[in-house]
Amino acid sequence: MAEPDGNGAPGARGDAAERDAESPASDTELGASGDPESKNVVCMVGAGISTSAGIPDFRSPGTGLYANLQSYHLPYPEAIFEISFFKQHPEPFFALARELYPGQFKPTVCHYFMRLLQEKGLLLRCYTQNIDTLERVAGLDPELLVEAHGTFFTSHCLRPSCRQPYDLQWMKERIFSSLVPKCEKCQSVVKPDIVFFGESLPSRFFTLLQSDFQKVDLLLIMGTSLQVQPFASLVSRVPTNTPRLLINKEKTGQSDTFMSLMGFGCGMDFDSDKAYRDVAWLGECDAGCLALAELLGWKKELEELVRREHAAIDAKTAIDAKTAQGGKGKARGGEGKAQGGEGKTPEDTGERRGGSRDPTP
């Protein structure tokens, strides 16, 4: 998801190259990304690619998720995503889930840019920190997707001896009924398969990064603060000659001496005299993807894909709403008929009673 706001100005290698946000990025700024030799693109994405869909990021001052959790009476904001707190108090998380639940939002330009990379055979893998499932909605092949922090797409019972699986629709019905989802087999709490603080990342994450980050010839980083480990450390796993492009509201992932000593150094270098492969495009992620698509000659194709896919989502939403409304109408109609039938009963009874009376003289 998008990270803390920067100054909103698109930038390149160094402050001198920064310009007004309305100006398109130059070939120099995005030259590494336009490299026609790049055939194995790995995308690393965070909350910033979903904010234009209406989903808040985590850390932006004032608007981020962590800044707006007062109503849940948490000991500290991050507790809502801590597994130890969740096991004792699952209610705040499920209340928040009603606001952020997948299916209420449309994928953004960034999501569909990755879809284009996939269609053109250039996407090696997308590693996402997001749990909103918008990569799936946008049409990314699940085989090309690593949901590093898990997903709402599936859920499981928390009891180790049970682990009964549940699907997205099952979970949705319970969350929107304001219920804490309970396992149908053992009555333990059921949790979406998102990774809470205190839980391990999916094994798929560790398995695929071993090969993916040896093959990658362009690393595209979008909408992430690169503050959460071990996800953030992935940027340092690519070969030393691999270009790394950051599209974000502010520069991030730069070298940190302490984290480097701990083995988590990101090591991105946008501004020093030794900088040779890292490029930062600063601004809204959708604008950055459109600028990159224009350099690649894909802008019209991308815009048409977004228009077509959003129209399809709108049409499906309208049909679903009409079907749901029709179902409610039928239910009300059935109740009306039942009441109407009951209304006739006294008359019928009166007729029967009348028939039983003595005949009028």
Side-chain angles (χ1 to χ4, degrees):
M1 298 183 173
E3 304 307 329
D5 290 347
N7 58 16
R13 301 185 188 216
D15 296 337
E18 293 182 0
R19 63 192 70 228
D20 184 83
E22 297 299 319
S23 302
S26 70
D27 287 357
T28 301
E29 290 169 335
L30 294 179
S33 305
D35 181 1
E37 298 305 316
S38 296
K39 304 297 182 184
N40 292 301
V41 180
V42 167
C43 295
M44 289 176 58
V45 300
I49 72 167
S50 294
T51 53
S52 64
I55 302 174
D57 66 5
F58 287 100
R59 294 180 175 82
S60 288
T63 60
L65 190 61
Y66 287 151
N68 292 280
L69 294 175
Q70 298 89 343
S71 62
Y72 299 110
H73 307 293
L74 302 168
Y76 43 91
E78 293 83 356
I80 203 165
F81 291 116
E82 286 188 353
I83 190 60
S84 58
F85 182 84
F86 175 84
K87 286 178 177 178
Q88 297 297 320
H89 306 285
E91 296 83 5
F93 170 79
F94 286 115
L96 176 65
R98 278 195 295 278
E99 299 180 35
L100 304 178
Y101 204 77
Q104 305 179 82
F105 307 97
K106 298 177 193 171
T108 67
V109 170
C110 291
H111 293 98
Y112 289 116
F113 181 80
M114 293 189 291
R115 163 85 174 269
L116 272 187
L117 289 175
Q118 172 183 283
E119 291 181 353
K120 295 176 183 296
L122 300 176
L123 183 65
L124 175 61
R125 205 84 61 191
C126 169
Y127 286 74
T128 179
Q129 293 174 284
N130 299 338
I131 58 174
D132 53 36
T133 75
L134 288 183
E135 294 87 3
R136 292 174 181 259
V137 178
L140 288 195
D141 184 341
E143 285 299 312
L144 299 182
L145 184 62
V146 174
E147 292 159 318
H149 293 170
T151 179
F152 266 103
F153 199 71
T154 55
S155 302
H156 284 83
C157 171
L158 277 180
R159 178 173 287 183
S161 61
C162 180
R163 298 296 293 164
Q164 176 74 11
Y166 294 93
D167 62 19
L168 185 67
Q169 186 60 36
W170 184 94
M171 179 61 71
K172 180 178 180 180
E173 289 171 0
R174 281 145 187 84
I175 287 178
F176 282 92
S177 297
S178 299
L179 300 172
V180 172
K182 295 291 184 68
C183 179
E184 295 174 356
K185 290 180 64 178
C186 71
Q187 292 303 301
S188 295
V189 175
V190 176
K191 184 181 80 68
D193 291 340
I194 64 174
V195 178
F196 279 50
F197 294 116
E199 292 187 301
S200 299
L201 271 62
S203 58
R204 177 177 169 80
F205 172 83
F206 297 102
T207 300
L208 290 175
L209 72 83
Q210 301 297 330
S211 59
D212 289 348
F213 282 79
Q214 293 302 311
K215 298 176 185 175
V216 58
D217 52 26
L218 170 63
L219 184 64
L220 179 56
I221 308 153
M222 300 189 287
T224 172
S225 64
L226 293 177
Q227 291 185 22
V228 179
Q229 299 293 351
F231 187 89
S233 66
L234 295 183
V235 300
S236 65
R237 288 180 169 266
V238 300
T240 56
N241 61 342
T242 297
R244 300 182 295 190
L245 168 63
L246 174 71
I247 297 178
N248 200 42
K249 284 187 175 182
E250 65 179 14
K251 292 175 185 175
T252 188
Q254 290 152 292
S255 296
D256 181 288
T257 303
F258 176 74
M259 293 304 289
S260 294
L261 291 173
M262 294 294 291
F264 289 125
C266 292
M268 297 188 75
D269 182 0
F270 304 110
D271 303 317
S272 81
D273 293 339
K274 297 180 180 179
Y276 69 98
R277 60 168 175 162
D278 295 332
V279 177
W281 194 99
L282 304 186
E284 298 293 339
C285 292
D286 284 353
C289 283
L290 284 169
L292 180 52
E294 186 169 23
L295 285 173
L296 295 167
W298 303 351
K299 186 176 181 182
K300 288 185 179 179
E301 188 177 0
L302 176 58
E303 290 174 333
E304 174 57 24
L305 177 62
V306 173
R307 186 202 64 75
R308 186 174 68 248
E309 292 293 318
H310 279 188
I313 291 171
D314 288 339
K316 184 179 184 303
T317 300
I319 291 171
D320 290 346
K322 188 174 181 180
T323 301
Q325 191 63 35
K328 291 178 182 178
K330 288 180 181 179
R332 286 195 295 268
E335 291 172 5
K337 287 179 181 179
Q339 291 170 356
E342 291 170 0
K344 292 179 180 179
T345 301
E347 293 183 14
D348 293 342
T349 303
E351 290 172 4
R352 288 194 295 273
R353 285 175 180 167
S356 66
R357 293 187 190 115
D358 292 336
T360 303

